[in-house]
Amino acid sequence: MSKLDSKIPEGALEQKWENYKSSVALVNPANKRSLEVIVVGSGLAGSSAASSLAEMGYKVKVFCFQDSPRRAHSIAAQGGINAAKNYQNDGDSTYRLFYDTIKGGDYRSREANVYRLASVSSNIIDQCVASGVPLAREYGGMLSNRSFGGTQVQRTFYAAGQTGQQLLLGAYSGLLRQVGLGNVEMCARHEMLDVVNIDGKCRGIIARDLITGKLERHFGHAVLLCSGGYGNVFYLSTNAMGSNVTAAWKAHKRGAFFGNPCFTQIHPTCIPVSGEHQSKLTLMSESLRNDGRIWVPKKHGDTRKANEITEEERDYYLERRYPAFGNLVPRDVASRAAKERCDAGFGVGASKMAVYLDFKAAIARYGHTQAVKLGVHNPSADELKEFGKQVVEEKYGNLFAMYEQITGENPYELPMRIYPAVHYTMGGLWVDYNLMTTVPGLYALGEANFSDHGANRLGASALMQGLADGYFVIPYTIGAYLSKEISVKAISTDHEAFVAAEKNAQEIIDKLFAIKGTKSVDYFHKRLGKIMWDKCGMARSEKGLKEAIAEIRALRDEFWKDVRVPGTANDFNPELEKAGRVADFIELGELMCIDALNRTESCGGHFREESQTEEGEALRKDDEFAYVAAWENNGNHTYELHKEELKFEAIKIAQRSYK
Amino acid sequence: MSGHMNLTLKIWRQKSDKEKGKLVTYPVQNISPDMSFLEMFDVLNEQLITKGDEPIAFDHDCREGICGMCSMYINGRPHGPKRGVTTCQLHMRSFKDGDTIVVEPWRAAAFPVIKDLTVDRSAFDRVIAKGGFISVNTGNAQDANNIPIPKTDADAAFEAAACIGCGACVATCKNSSAMLFVSAKVSQLALLPQGRVEATARVKNMVAQMDEEGFGNCSNTGACEVECPKGISLENIALMNREFFVANIK
Ligand SMILES: Cc1cc2nc3c(=O)[nH]c(=O)nc-3n(C[C@H](O)[C@H](O)[C@H](O)COP(=O)(O)OP(=O)(O)OC[C@H]3O[C@@H](n4cnc5c(N)ncnc54)[C@H](O)[C@@H]3O)c2cc1C
Ligand code: SF4
Ligand code: FES
């Protein structure tokens, strides 16, 4: 029998969650007070889960590695959050959001979960607005929407280009309210280094106080990993510098299966790499594709400046290839198309690894509508441009400023140069319908789980998923487990399992210091990133992946022989933190390549060169691969594949077309 | 390579809050103008590590001006010479070949140094925990469009909410006052109908905690507004003073 039980409730798709909610076991208020829950991570998923559980009466402890929970990487999300509110009266519905998400994910996600996600999406917006999140509004006082890639309705709510910041600060304020009330203990500047299992159930974690360096043991009746994604395995990504896989990876080594590790999202619109010194990449929100048109010169190797190239000499290749969706095709499609043009020699900028994102047409269009709005008759060309710029600034001002800050170029005058970059990881810890991993009592929420996005995530849906998991799913599903734990007294952290796990964490730290090698942690991280980007990035092949696996193994050996970790363990030591994270990234990188090698189809963000149509579009193989690949860690860098078959009952599975 | 710079850095080194710190001089060569200020620190740290020295500890995470983690006091100004940017958004093209750059941590009694350029800003969280929220439990919300909010109010609330909690306002203030930070949150919530309900208690409790943390008084010099990377306006302080006044006569 398969070790995977997705625990999807019985009944019709629309009824599953409703039925579940009305039949799931509850925990009475008195018992909740003696049940302790550990939440690792304070991003949208962690903060919303922690505050909701604390409000319900559970005793909650939250961990994050930054100096404040408000700085979790969710803060950086720019573009928006989806919800099937249908405020625009453009035909949106729960079903449509569900359908778009399944299709956008290239039919590699679980119907029941995605339907639940779509059906709670409206509640998220209500909750956020009630907690003071200043989402964008129209003059009439109603909430405003924009469109995002992969959909034909306007369902994305936003706060300028700072949606993640505003949502996270909303969730954070709820969390801190519970801290103030004494219901949550907040442990900032703490890094989780292991989970502790006792008698087959997860019962706590080992964490390092990053200031004193001391290892600590923490007990919980249940542990929630809300530790974000692992895009930094590529070294360069749009993730924050500290984003890492350690929490999820350590859980994986303690029995939690890792789902679809090779499914990574390469975002089409990022600022291109400018040199060797580059430490991270900056996203230019996908919302820009609403108004920006993407093009390259028609002429091969054209070296002229953008504004010297006439309209007729420009190739708006997305509009050409995908007339139905144009610049709003999903991310994976847009990214591959950019790579294709650049590889073929049509790229722009000094590196030739970039394409243009041009706002000239939008500025002109908005100029006219604004002139009418303001009642200016016969405006001059300069006035029109000025009006247009004002509208664009209102919509995207902070993004334009960020672009100019980084590149030194003014995007109101010159088209932006953009190129795809690693952005999001659809893969993550495998979870069932309850969001529980294969270890009882250990949950994964937000980007850390293998998630509802299948092989490709649509824009504005990660924020939705993080908050859905934390605000509206886990408060119910955790009851199914904790209602059976009420008789379990808090286990002493002197228990041998805690002692052993702490010893193990200490040994890894000691080992890192003992190497006293010659190369910095970053040196290894950059090399890993290059292998991953070249061979497990936008296009993957059997040959490349096999090489990558061999190279990563060699790199792992070299790391453990030659890395240099300065300073000491009992101190604030960012290099030590990085070393531990990179050690885990190296192991994860190998598993990602193994997973990519196994999946000989192309789907979503995973493009196998051997599996494409004559026109170069991705070719899925539903007969063979309509499953979630969940990997079990058998120790010694060996992994065993388990398959969760995906059944599509409400949706007819079809090759994706955005033409 | 053309345009590359050689610079002299004077950087504050301090092992912990218990030990004394001092400025240490480090020359760096061949710095590209396209590098960010923190990437220049990466280069320096890489050199220190390969030499067997301890790298400089500094806070940073998003490196795109939004998380509020980075916090360097550069040539006497928080986040350096450019207006409207955080340390991580400062690029080396703002400096020229041969420059000497002095880098220190935020200095304020309420922000003790942890190590080198890293300080402890948890006082900000404790102030927020006293009232920087709307007391609405999950599941209590009504439909989001039930309360129309005039666009101007929503926009003003958003502008106040853009504060990233970096602490530059405190670092630049000769009294180490946290008024700009606290007032930004008070205004955001006071401007929204949902936030009005608790306005009185909020402003009182947050101000009390602010005083308890050891932040100084505001003497209205406006230095904070100048150095705030997110353009948080002094108007927020005026609004908070009104709120505070009203709260205390209630
Ligand atoms: C630049 C950018 C823009 C984006 N824009 C959008 C958008 O417009 N719309 C959208 O829907 N999505 C967007 N996304 C994706 C989305 O922001 C993320 O997927 C989402 O915010 C992740 O939230 P999370 O709560 O799962 O994790 P995070 O917010 O990443 O939080 C992770 C938390 O875990 C903690 N943590 C991690 N490891 C440990 C450890 N070992 N010990 C202790 N704590 C740990 C961290 O301290 C942090 O608190 C964007 C992503 C990026 C990078
Ligand atoms: S008010 Fe400005 S300077 Fe002060 S913490 Fe907020 S963003 Fe930083
Ligand atoms: S590192 Fe996030 S604001 Fe500078």
Side-chain angles (χ1 to χ4, degrees), chain A residues 40-45 63-66 72-74 76-80 190-192 226-228 238-239 244 247 283 423-424 446-447 457 460-463, chain B residues 64:
Chain A
V40 180
S42 63
L44 286 179
F63 295 79
C64 72
F65 65 77
Q66 293 93 345
H73 184 53
S74 295
Q78 301 174 347
H190 273 70
E191 178 155 21
M192 181 203 117
C226 311
S227 47
T238 62
N239 288 8
N244 69 91
L283 174 77
H423 177 58
Y424 180 88
E447 194 174 338
R457 177 174 70 80
S461 57
L463 302 181
Chain B
E64 53 187 62

Side-chain angles (χ1 to χ4, degrees), chain A residues 167-448:
Chain A
L167 293 174
L168 181 62
L169 293 181
Y172 155 86
S173 70
L175 170 65
L176 281 208
R177 171 173 162 243
Q178 294 303 316
V179 171
L181 292 170
N183 300 330
V184 171
E185 185 187 333
M186 184 67 226
C187 308
R189 291 207 198 260
H190 273 70
E191 178 155 21
M192 181 203 117
L193 293 180
D194 210 347
V195 295
V196 180
N197 299 337
I198 297 176
D199 299 331
K201 289 179 176 170
C202 183
R203 292 300 188 193
I205 64 166
I206 302 297
R208 181 169 177 269
D209 177 329
L210 297 180
I211 297 180
T212 62
K214 224 174 106 36
L215 293 183
E216 299 171 356
R217 309 170 195 166
H218 296 270
F219 164 81
H221 288 88
V223 173
L224 274 46
L225 299 185
C226 311
S227 47
Y230 51 84
N232 275 350
V233 66
F234 291 86
Y235 185 69
L236 285 182
S237 84
T238 62
N239 288 8
M241 301 299 286
S243 300
N244 69 91
V245 76
T246 291
W249 192 252
K250 295 296 202 262
H252 172 59
K253 290 177 113 172
R254 297 260 179 209
F257 293 4
F258 213 103
N260 295 334
C262 82
F263 286 170
T264 34
Q265 177 158 81
I266 316 270
H267 196 293
T269 55
C270 302
I271 301 180
V273 175
S274 79
E276 276 299 308
H277 55 264
Q278 193 96 27
S279 61
K280 75 152 291 180
L281 294 169
T282 302
L283 174 77
M284 288 287 104
S285 167
E286 168 167 308
S287 58
L288 294 173
R289 283 201 274 143
N290 265 313
D291 284 315
R293 297 178 70 195
I294 294 178
W295 63 275
V296 292
K298 280 187 181 156
K299 200 173 119 205
H300 189 269
D302 200 332
T303 51
R304 288 175 297 169
K305 293 203 182 75
N307 36 21
E308 290 164 8
I309 301 174
T310 62
E311 263 322 292
E312 296 69 47
E313 295 172 301
R314 299 177 176 194
D315 176 15
Y316 294 93
Y317 58 87
L318 288 177
E319 298 169 24
R320 167 170 60 79
R321 284 178 68 176
Y322 308 101
F325 280 69
N327 292 294
L328 286 176
V329 290
R331 294 174 174 178
D332 52 338
V333 177
S335 291
R336 267 198 303 282
K339 176 175 157 51
E340 188 278 328
R341 282 293 80 191
C342 293
D343 288 351
F346 294 90
V348 302
S351 65
K352 296 280 163 211
M353 291 308 272
V355 300
Y356 287 128
L357 177 62
D358 198 333
F359 293 88
K360 204 164 106 197
I363 290 176
R365 193 175 70 241
Y366 285 129
H368 281 286
T369 44
Q370 190 71 356
V372 173
K373 233 188 215 166
L374 297 174
V376 180
H377 301 291
N378 300 323
S380 68
D382 281 349
E383 274 177 318
L384 279 178
K385 203 166 159 190
E386 204 39 52
F387 290 149
K389 278 188 195 169
Q390 281 164 10
V391 178
V392 168
E393 184 175 359
E394 157 124 351
K395 289 188 140 181
Y396 312 112
N398 74 317
L399 299 173
F400 276 52
M402 195 145 71
Y403 181 86
E404 184 165 5
Q405 189 49 239
I406 292 173
T407 62
E409 284 172 10
N410 175 357
Y412 293 100
E413 299 296 337
L414 293 170
M416 287 182 177
R417 283 173 295 110
I418 52 158
Y419 197 67
V422 174
H423 177 58
Y424 180 88
T425 48
M426 282 77 68
L429 293 176
W430 183 90
V431 290
D432 63 15
Y433 191 75
N434 296 315
L435 304 181
M436 200 193 277
T437 66
T438 46
V439 177
L442 180 65
Y443 294 79
L445 282 66
E447 194 174 338

Side-chain angles (χ1 to χ4, degrees), chain B residues 124 162-170 180-181 184 224 227-230 232:
Chain B
F124 271 4
C163 162
I164 56 173
C166 63
C169 46
V170 175
L180 195 62
F181 168 78
C224 51
E227 296 300 352
C228 171
K230 295 293 140 180
I232 303 297

Side-chain angles (χ1 to χ4, degrees), chain B residues 19 26 61 74 96 108 114 122 143 158 211-212 219 230 238:
Chain B
E19 284 167 62
Y26 300 96
D61 199 22
I74 303 163
K96 50 183 201 309
I114 292 172
S122 52
D143 186 274
F158 168 75
D211 293 341
E212 193 177 317
S219 50
K230 295 293 140 180

